[in-house]
Amino acid sequence: MQAIPDTRDGRPRVVIIGGGFGGLSAARALASAPVRVTLIDRRNHHLFQPLLYQVATAALSPADIAVPIRGVLGTGREEGLEVFLDEVTGVDLEKRLVNLRTDGPVAYDRLIVAAGSRYSYFGHDEWQAHAPSLKSLDDATEIRRRILLAFERAETVKDPEERRRLLTFVVVGGGPTGVEMAGAMAELAKATLRQDFSHIDPAGARIILVEAIDELLSAFTDSQSAYTCEALSKMGVEVRLKSPVEAVGPGFVRFGGETVETPNVFWCAGVQAEPVAGWFGAAADKQGRVVVDAQMRLPGHPDVFVIGDAASVTGPDGKPYPALAPVAKQQGAHVAAIIAAEMTGEPAPGPFRYRDWGTMATIGRSAAVGKFGKFAVKGFFAWVLWGLVHVGYLVGFRNRIVVLVNWFWQWLTYRKGARLITGSPRLPPTHPPRKLRDEAPARSTLDS
Ligand SMILES: Cc1cc2nc3c(=O)[nH]c(=O)nc-3n(C[C@H](O)[C@H](O)[C@H](O)COP(=O)(O)OP(=O)(O)OC[C@H]3O[C@@H](n4cnc5c(N)ncnc54)[C@H](O)[C@@H]3O)c2cc1C
């Protein structure tokens, strides 16, 4: 494999792996530093993951929440900046080279790793085939395909049992993504699709939200968790707490001793870092995040920084910072400032301190929760605030306008406009093979 020509003009080269929240923030902040920047991502777009569930539930289109990385950074116009579309397969720390799947390697003087995370199936990777997760645009359009197809198939099947299975949806994970998914699915079924079918009543669809511990949204206050449960129940979502998932297979899921037969299981629980710790042979925490120092430097390698979801950085309270978009963004800006200072000989910023402006999660139409230090808000006000904050954080002026108009239209009409089925017209099995059925416990909701 031929090395990518090093086009350096005497300026040191900073290589950034990942064009997500952390990588993009670092690249932008380095624009005025005396360095050349090479950003490598296996996708050509920056994705606003907090609104992925809206693509999965047909409220927004993929292009509303993603922007081409080249477009955002102004590659071609910006001198000293290049973007490569490729997958990083490893890093040679000794030779200071980044290895790529199709080309490369790429030499670096400073390396920023911002490769993010993926879902964890808690040691059961085999569940993934039956319970897709929500991480990329492909995941979101696949989930949208499955949801909409289930209603289409239910419209034409004669067998009431089969119809019941098709109209049962299980969301695993009571964190913000699971809550948002379950709420949006309830709105889709009980409002948007309500008038669209002749032989079924989509409002009768069962939406079950499954959580292993005894509350939803555990990062929020007890009263906000209780409010979330209540709001979802009012929307017709069945909330199952203290119900760890025990098995997922073709056409079924088992949690808390109960088996539900359905082809529609969606995974929104648990994250683990991209496997970058393996590239370095570095120490990692339980989520696979590389343990770095307070300046996000890889121990023993001061020219390598790891940030965002891929990094475990301890805060002043002795706990690692959470895997959140603002953490990644602030870390990206911080390491960029360190690198810029090193290049100009100015004093470098000290340890990273996360400025926490608050956390929010939406439940559904006019219902959300927000926690800002000691202040906790919920209800309509929190929902408006959630909308404004998310539109503000979206990358790209066009996307902000399109999303705002879409939301306003949906709020007025209850209609979700992106109800498109793309890809295969086939659904996965709607019930388990006979052998698995026979093994299902007597408490199966099937027989209830
Ligand atoms: C569904 C969902 C909802 C979320 N909601 C919220 C929310 O409401 N609020 C919030 O604060 N956070 C939320 N998060 C978390 C937030 O998105 C992450 O904390 C944030 O994206 C982390 O930023 P990052 O830069 O570390 O990684 P990412 O933004 O994930 O970017 C990683 C980038 O690296 C690229 N990459 C990975 N591996 C390689 C490789 N080997 N080679 C080349 N490129 C690679 C990826 O393609 C990606 O573009 C949500 C996450 C998900 C999945």
Side-chain angles (χ1 to χ4, degrees):
M1 200 181 288
Q2 274 217 325
I4 288 180
D6 190 341
T7 53
R8 281 184 295 173
D9 50 5
R11 286 182 291 174
R13 185 195 233 176
V14 180
V15 173
I16 301 175
I17 303 174
F21 285 100
L24 211 57
S25 151
R28 282 171 153 171
L30 283 169
S32 52
V35 292
R36 298 188 68 87
V37 173
T38 303
L39 189 147
I40 306 166
D41 201 304
R42 61 187 172 201
R43 295 193 298 231
N44 81 331
H45 53 269
H46 167 81
L47 177 62
F48 192 76
Q49 294 170 43
L51 291 181
L52 258 182
Y53 79 97
Q54 297 221 352
V55 174
T57 53
L60 294 174
S61 292
D64 299 343
I65 64 161
V67 280
I69 294 171
R70 290 185 186 283
V72 187
L73 291 178
T75 331
R77 296 191 304 278
E78 283 296 329
E79 206 253 325
L81 172 71
E82 59 195 354
V83 174
F84 295 156
L85 178 71
D86 211 330
E87 183 173 20
V88 174
T89 52
V91 174
D92 186 331
L93 287 169
E94 225 164 84
K95 294 189 183 146
R96 294 183 164 197
L97 291 175
V98 174
N99 297 319
L100 305 183
R101 177 141 336 261
T102 47
D103 269 306
V106 181
Y108 66 83
D109 296 294
R110 296 287 185 282
L111 176 64
I112 303 174
V113 181
S117 57
R118 52 174 77 168
Y119 277 94
S120 153
Y121 284 75
F122 306 121
H124 291 279
D125 289 348
E126 71 279 9
W127 293 353
Q128 186 166 10
H130 313 290
S133 57
L134 184 60
K135 188 69 190 169
S136 65
L137 285 179
D138 286 340
D139 295 338
T141 48
E142 169 62 11
I143 291 176
R144 181 181 73 184
R145 183 185 79 82
R146 290 188 186 209
I147 295 173
L148 296 176
L149 212 48
F151 285 100
E152 295 294 342
R153 286 271 298 278
E155 171 81 346
T156 50
V157 294
K158 302 280 177 292
D159 176 10
E161 280 302 308
E162 177 72 346
R163 185 176 280 176
R164 194 150 65 92
R165 286 191 284 261
L166 284 163
L167 293 181
T168 299
F169 300 86
V170 176
V171 178
V172 179
T177 304
V179 165
E180 288 166 354
M181 264 298 284
M185 283 169 63
E187 283 175 354
L188 180 70
K190 292 166 199 300
T192 307
L193 298 181
R194 193 161 199 158
Q195 317 273 315
D196 283 7
F197 291 86
S198 318
H199 301 286
I200 57 166
D201 175 13
R206 279 183 85 189
I207 294 146
I208 307 170
L209 176 63
V210 176
E211 169 54 48
I213 63 169
D214 61 357
E215 60 177 1
L216 299 178
L217 300 182
S218 57
F220 291 78
T221 66
D222 288 351
S223 130
Q224 288 177 317
S225 299
Y227 165 79
T228 304
C229 246
E230 207 181 295
L232 282 175
S233 301
K234 273 192 199 147
M235 293 164 75
V237 176
E238 298 174 32
V239 179
R240 302 293 165 83
L241 301 175
K242 293 194 256 182
S243 301
V245 171
E246 290 144 7
V248 190
F252 80 100
V253 54
R254 190 163 64 239
F255 47 86
E258 175 180 345
T259 302
V260 173
E261 290 196 359
T262 173
N264 313 310
V265 184
F266 306 120
W267 194 266
C268 302
V271 285
Q272 65 184 41
E274 284 291 328
V276 295
W279 298 346
F280 305 124
D285 69 4
K286 270 196 287 186
Q287 283 89 43
R289 301 185 293 178
V290 180
V291 179
V292 289
D293 69 16
Q295 281 189 320
M296 277 81 72
R297 292 185 205 261
L298 185 67
H301 297 276
D303 49 352
V304 177
F305 300 83
V306 188
I307 61 172
D309 283 10
S312 175
V313 186
T314 307
D317 59 357
K319 291 189 198 150
Y321 290 118
L324 289 173
V327 175
K329 281 179 84 167
Q330 290 177 29
Q331 289 178 340
H334 195 85
V335 295
I338 293 174
I339 292 171
E342 283 175 357
M343 298 303 151
T344 53
E346 281 165 31
F352 171 73
R353 290 279 178 270
Y354 173 49
R355 225 169 305 139
D356 185 359
W357 299 107
T359 322
M360 308 200 77
T362 185
I363 303 158
R365 192 183 167 84
S366 307
V369 291
K371 205 174 122 198
F372 311 95
K374 286 184 189 141
F375 297 101
V377 288
K378 57 187 187 224
F380 181 74
F381 173 68
W383 180 71
V384 172
L385 207 58
W386 174 92
L388 291 176
V389 167
H390 280 71
V391 167
Y393 268 111
L394 259 178
V395 176
F397 183 69
R398 172 206 163 272
N399 285 3
R400 288 189 193 132
I401 299 296
V402 169
V403 168
L404 260 184
V405 170
N406 259 307
W407 283 352
F408 184 62
W409 182 248
Q410 284 164 35
W411 191 75
L412 281 183
T413 64
Y414 287 87
R415 307 299 284 169
K416 290 179 193 257
R419 301 194 304 281
L420 308 176
I421 298 174
T422 52
S424 161
R426 297 170 76 88
L427 262 184
T430 53
H431 53 80
R434 178 164 293 282
K435 186 172 167 295
L436 281 170
R437 277 178 83 108
D438 294 345
E439 283 168 6
R443 279 182 56 206
S444 165
T445 47
L446 254 185
D447 310 321
S448 60

